[in-house]
Amino acid sequence: MKKVRDFFASRTGIIVVGLVLGGLAVTLQRLGNPPNMGVCVACFTRDIAGALGLHRVAAVQYLRPEIPAFCLGAFVAALAFREFRPRTGSAPVVRFVLGMFAMLGALIFLGCPWRALLRLAGGDWNAILGIAGLAVGVGVGVQFLKAGFNLGRSYPTRMLAGLTMPLVMAVLLGLAIYYPNAAPKPAAAAGQATAPAPTPAALFLSKEGPGSKHAPVLYSIGAGLVIGFLAQRTRFCTVGGIRDVILMRDFHLLSGVVAFAAAAFGMNLLWGQFHAGFANQPIAHTTHWLNFAGMALAGLAFTLAGGCPGRQVFLSGEGDGDAAVFVLGMLAGAAVAHNFLTVGNSVNAAYAVVIGLVVVAVIGMLGREKLSVAR
Amino acid sequence: MAVNVDARGLSCPQPVILTRKALQEAGGGEVVVLIDSMTQVYNCTRAAEKLGWQATYEEQIEAFALTLRK
């Protein structure tokens, strides 16, 4: 067990896992997930928000099984390696707000850091602006960290609190299996001009657009569980990768991130999924400054919260109640993004980015509290 | 056992920041860091080794004591 544990903690371990994660993401695209989206945590959380009716944009509603599977895969890994620790109390409501604005920023760019890499690996050069923005956002976040920003300590809590998020995710997974497809629209009966409205299902499910594109549900679940398990073991984290390089020239996490992008690039080439350029990229826009600024906002918020969205989902599976609240904040952020029309409308998006940057910067400044070394 | 840094309950990257600071201030000798997850054991060990320190850890109740020597 110790050997396995040390392998995952090693440089080789994180590179191998990065390769597997990137490969699985692109494989899911080939099996039906939207192009250059693979396993985008922001997009998929947005689709889940849509499936639950928290926003009503018909094109992006699907209960993506990957997200709950990530959480449950990490949960299994944490149990197997005796790392499941129910804990909470590190400013959960602040993390909720950070999750919300991180999501807003990510959706303005149209992707989480993982998708930024997958877009790059698919030849979408708009991702370069997003990744540059992300790096700047993380860089600013590191300055806040150096100035003493922290969200305080978490404390061990009851088993119930640690199990809540995995249980919620298990219910979502159950719903995803039970309602895999949108209900077909009933045909118009004889003598009726228009078909009656379809019977409402428990979930809102896209019939067209990105939300309607998905791999078969069992493949999504399988890949999600594997990714969750491996990422929990290696602490794979894109934001952490950039942060550690800026903070202390540590390339450990970043080597996994680079491996992720490299595997995705290689498999895209292999399957003819690589199309280079700025224009006509799938689920993307070419407003460069918004791609940059949206991701800068996301990068700053993720850094203050301690990790990229994927990592937050994995932590919630390990019993981290604060990460769970961050994930719920992302779900709320998806609803805000679409209900306030901040995605796809550059004027509203500009307001959202500016407000987001101000709010997150204020959090960064007010959180600069000197931590006593002994508690 | 003298504890120089209590980083229990802190999330990434606080334990590493505090450990690095303590090591840079001490310059040498022995520094003990309390942390509460294997993630932080690996992270702090990596950060310490980069600064030329050697690390050993010991599992305690709901914590790990990481002893760093140089």
Side-chain angles (χ1 to χ4, degrees), chain A:
Chain A
M1 206 69 164
K2 188 177 182 307
K3 263 193 174 160
V4 179
R5 203 160 69 170
D6 285 345
F7 168 74
F8 282 123
S10 71
R11 175 66 68 96
T12 319
I14 190 134
I15 290 175
V16 168
V17 166
L19 291 171
V20 172
L21 264 56
L24 282 175
V26 172
T27 306
L28 284 175
Q29 281 168 209
R30 189 163 167 83
L31 288 170
N33 276 5
N36 294 351
M37 204 179 274
V39 287
C40 174
V41 180
C43 311
F44 284 9
T45 302
R46 184 260 332 268
D47 291 351
I48 291 176
L52 298 174
L54 298 175
H55 73 69
R56 301 295 171 92
V57 178
V60 285
Q61 297 176 320
Y62 176 58
L63 212 158
R64 298 274 175 196
E66 286 88 349
I67 302 291
F70 283 175
C71 177
L72 295 173
F75 174 65
V76 170
L79 285 183
F81 287 81
R82 295 195 305 118
E83 286 186 0
F84 184 78
R85 291 182 310 116
R87 56 197 189 273
T88 189
S90 171
V93 75
V94 178
R95 290 175 188 271
F96 184 92
V97 173
L98 287 173
M100 243 179 70
F101 281 105
M103 189 65 166
L104 261 178
L107 287 180
I108 285 167
F109 163 70
L110 290 168
C112 72
W114 291 18
R115 182 164 192 241
L117 298 166
L118 292 172
R119 283 173 61 173
L120 185 69
D124 176 352
W125 299 148
N126 299 298
I128 297 169
L129 277 303
I131 292 170
L134 181 70
V136 168
V138 174
V140 173
V142 167
Q143 297 314 311
F144 281 116
L145 292 174
K146 279 185 172 168
F149 175 86
N150 70 86
L151 288 171
R153 293 176 196 272
S154 66
Y155 294 89
T157 181
R158 293 150 187 262
M159 192 48 91
L160 170 70
L163 287 176
T164 301
M165 200 60 172
L167 284 173
V168 167
M169 291 294 195
V171 170
L172 287 180
L173 203 58
L175 284 172
I177 296 170
Y178 197 72
Y179 297 104
N181 291 305
K185 207 172 172 180
Q192 223 175 350
T194 51
T199 331
L203 301 172
F204 296 87
L205 297 169
S206 300
K207 292 181 193 64
E208 52 196 8
S212 67
K213 295 191 175 118
H214 56 85
V217 70
L218 290 180
Y219 286 104
S220 292
I221 294 173
L225 289 173
V226 171
I227 292 174
F229 189 97
L230 294 176
Q232 193 280 335
R233 292 318 310 147
T234 52
R235 343 303 185 183
F236 182 86
C237 180
T238 51
V239 167
I242 301 172
R243 178 198 65 210
D244 287 354
V245 171
I246 298 175
L247 191 64
M248 51 185 180
R249 307 276 169 268
D250 177 1
F251 289 82
H252 177 79
L253 285 173
L254 192 74
S255 55
V257 173
V258 171
F260 175 91
F265 174 65
M267 292 187 63
N268 276 333
L269 279 185
L270 194 70
W271 281 334
Q273 294 181 152
F274 182 84
H275 308 287
F278 279 98
N280 301 322
Q281 291 293 345
I283 314 144
H285 63 79
T286 53
T287 310
H288 299 318
W289 85 268
L290 277 178
N291 280 331
F292 181 89
M295 238 12 195
L297 167 59
L300 178 56
F302 288 134
T303 306
L304 297 187
C308 73
R311 179 84 185 125
Q312 304 281 350
V313 173
F314 308 134
L315 282 170
S316 76
E318 288 179 19
D320 185 334
D322 300 322
V325 172
F326 183 94
V327 173
L328 296 177
M330 293 205 320
L331 203 63
V336 170
H338 285 291
N339 291 339
F340 287 74
L341 299 177
T342 54
V343 177
N345 176 325
S346 48
V347 176
N348 290 355
Y351 279 117
V353 163
V354 172
I355 293 169
L357 284 171
V358 169
V359 170
V360 176
V362 167
I363 290 175
M365 285 199 273
L366 295 182
R368 281 179 307 164
E369 196 176 328
K370 196 164 161 47
L371 205 65
S372 61
V373 165
R375 69 172 172 183

